[in-house]
Amino acid sequence: DRLAVSDDELNRAVAVLRDLITRTPPNAGGGILELVKAGAVGRRVLKLSLADQRLLLELFTASAADFLDRHFENETVKAAFAFDGIVGSYAAPSTPGTAYVLLHHCFGEVNGKPGHWGHAKGGMGAITQAMARAAQSRGAVIRTNAPVHRVLVEGGRATGVVLQTGETIRARAVAANVGPKLLFRDLIAKTDVAPEIRDAFLAIKTGSGSFRMNVALAELPDFTSRPGKELALHHRAGIVIGPTMDYLERAYLDARAFGWSREPVVEMMISTTLDPQLAPPGQHVASLFVQHVAPHLPGARSWSDAREKEAFADIVIDTVSRHAPNFKSAVLARQVLSPLDLEDRFGLIDGDIFHGQLGLGQLFSARPVLGYGNYRMPIKGLYLCGSGAHPGGGVTGVPGMNAAREIAKDMKRQRART
């Protein structure tokens, strides 16, 4: 059937790309060694059947809508898949390149099971706490409440960082987990990099159309499609409000025209259904990942105006309540994060959760910028290890793993010279 064909195709494509994401991309202008790397990638692709080569080409260039129209007839089924093609992308299902974003969300693997994504008990902070413990067990020193003012560059090389307090911390290498646009806009002095290179990094396309809300609930949502306030299987799932392809398309077009969708796409996760300790007994907390809003509101409007973000938050609550009528009255409190809040609080330029859009012009060797796709930045000793590097966003740890491998290689070479 069509579903089986689609799953089989996607699984083959994912197998190729999962292999490529753990490799350092060939770096444009990098000499003979980079040509050898490029040849290895080419041979990997050429070993595929012609049908699978066509599939990869389609997934990298086509829209999610075109790809899904080939396989499905039912609008609800297509919309369910298409959500993964537009989430965090500030794009419509009809936008070329969204088929790759759909594929990008198939990379997940949990406990050796490909195609799966996990839920961290204790919230996403539990992941960073586990990472911290692992690093500290190997001798790492972690400092919090120590914001960086700028990267220290001496003799054309990154030699440490200067904190906002004025303290200098010296290092053999500096690995930046912030977005590349933020790095070169705020943390690298203009005089430390050529103007044309700085301009290239500042030209990275950012903005994921994302709006985040966290809500405290007096009771579980009672959905008209799945009635009941008692805990059920669907309450533990990712609940997506985006019933048709037209609905997803309008959400994007509305945001471009008016600044936000009048009928937004909402993904709800009720964390307490898996981790009851996050709320008092009988109560719940839920996160609402909302698409689409414009990173910058049109005209004289701004996300810095609290009335704007609260007005859209009301629309989000009303949207969920149309599908779960008790939802609005169940909300005890809410935290609202606009794209500007995401930038100010977390350093996500334009609220971009991926540190840069996942378009064809910003993937593989061209991520973050062509010529610097191998995790080494234009300043020696400075590396990019976050989502702005290959293979991009998502809670995978792969950009950091790849960057660490390249840092270790460079340090070995330095030791060999001395």
Side-chain angles (χ1 to χ4, degrees), residues 95-147:
T95 304
T98 48
Y100 172 77
V101 182
L102 169 64
L103 181 67
H104 187 84
H105 285 91
C106 297
F107 285 159
E109 181 174 319
V110 177
N111 297 332
K113 297 179 180 178
H116 290 70
W117 294 92
H119 180 91
K121 287 191 174 183
M124 296 301 288
I127 296 175
T128 52
Q129 291 301 312
M131 292 168 63
R133 289 192 297 271
Q136 288 167 333
S137 72
R138 301 298 295 270
V141 175
I142 298 174
R143 291 178 58 178
T144 58
N145 299 315

Side-chain angles (χ1 to χ4, degrees), residues 37-55:
K37 288 181 182 177
V41 172
R43 287 191 296 274
R44 176 74 170 91
V45 174
L46 287 173
K47 288 180 180 178
L48 300 174
S49 68
L50 186 58
D52 283 352
Q53 289 182 44
R54 290 192 186 113
L55 173 64

Side-chain angles (χ1 to χ4, degrees), residues 34 76 99 192 285 305 332 346 373:
E34 301 305 320
T76 303
D192 287 333
V285 293
D305 185 344
L332 300 172
F346 305 112

Side-chain angles (χ1 to χ4, degrees), residues 61-326:
T61 60
S63 71
D66 286 344
F67 178 76
L68 293 168
D69 281 343
R70 277 210 305 121
H71 299 289
F72 303 103
E73 297 175 350
N74 184 278
E75 282 295 309
T76 303
V77 172
K78 285 193 286 187
F81 279 103
F83 171 76
D84 279 341
I86 60 101
V87 64
S89 300
Y90 197 35
S94 62
T95 304
T98 48
Y100 172 77
V101 182
L102 169 64
L103 181 67
H104 187 84
H105 285 91
C106 297
F107 285 159
E109 181 174 319
V110 177
N111 297 332
K113 297 179 180 178
H116 290 70
W117 294 92
H119 180 91
K121 287 191 174 183
M124 296 301 288
I127 296 175
T128 52
Q129 291 301 312
M131 292 168 63
R133 289 192 297 271
Q136 288 167 333
S137 72
R138 301 298 295 270
V141 175
I142 298 174
R143 291 178 58 178
T144 58
N145 299 315
V148 173
H149 171 61
R150 65 180 173 88
V151 175
L152 181 64
V153 179
E154 298 172 319
R157 184 178 186 85
T159 57
V161 294
V162 179
L163 304 185
Q164 288 185 4
T165 60
E167 178 185 358
T168 296
I169 300 175
R170 294 188 174 275
R172 289 184 294 162
V174 176
N177 191 43
V178 297
K181 198 169 185 176
L182 175 70
L183 178 64
F184 283 86
R185 188 190 72 178
D186 297 350
L187 302 178
I188 301 292
K190 291 182 180 180
T191 54
D192 287 333
V193 67
E196 62 272 18
I197 292 177
R198 184 173 187 269
D199 289 345
F201 278 87
L202 297 188
I204 292 171
K205 292 184 67 175
T206 50
S208 57
S210 300
F211 189 95
R212 293 300 301 255
M213 292 179 65
N214 298 309
V215 294
L217 300 173
E219 59 185 2
L220 287 171
D222 184 3
F223 292 96
T224 54
S225 60
R226 291 288 189 275
K229 300 177 187 178
E230 295 300 316
L231 178 61
L233 188 61
H234 66 276
H235 289 120
R236 297 179 177 226
I239 302 163
V240 177
I241 297 174
T244 66
M245 297 287 274
D246 285 343
Y247 186 103
L248 302 181
E249 193 84 16
R250 287 196 309 272
Y252 170 73
L253 296 175
D254 270 1
R256 294 301 298 254
F258 308 114
W260 60 52
S261 170
R262 291 172 291 188
E263 290 184 299
V265 182
V266 182
E267 181 183 30
M268 180 192 301
M269 286 292 301
I270 310 173
S271 303
T272 37
T273 61
L274 296 169
D275 190 359
Q277 296 181 353
L278 296 175
Q283 297 181 355
H284 294 273
V285 293
S287 63
L288 307 178
F289 186 24
V290 186
Q291 315 289 316
H292 284 293
V293 298
H296 302 278
L297 293 174
R301 296 162 57 203
S302 171
W303 287 117
S304 62
D305 185 344
R307 293 171 297 181
E308 295 281 4
K309 67 179 184 179
E310 293 300 331
F312 182 66
D314 288 340
I315 291 174
V316 173
I317 297 295
D318 289 341
T319 298
V320 178
S321 298
R322 282 197 293 273
H323 299 270
N326 72 322

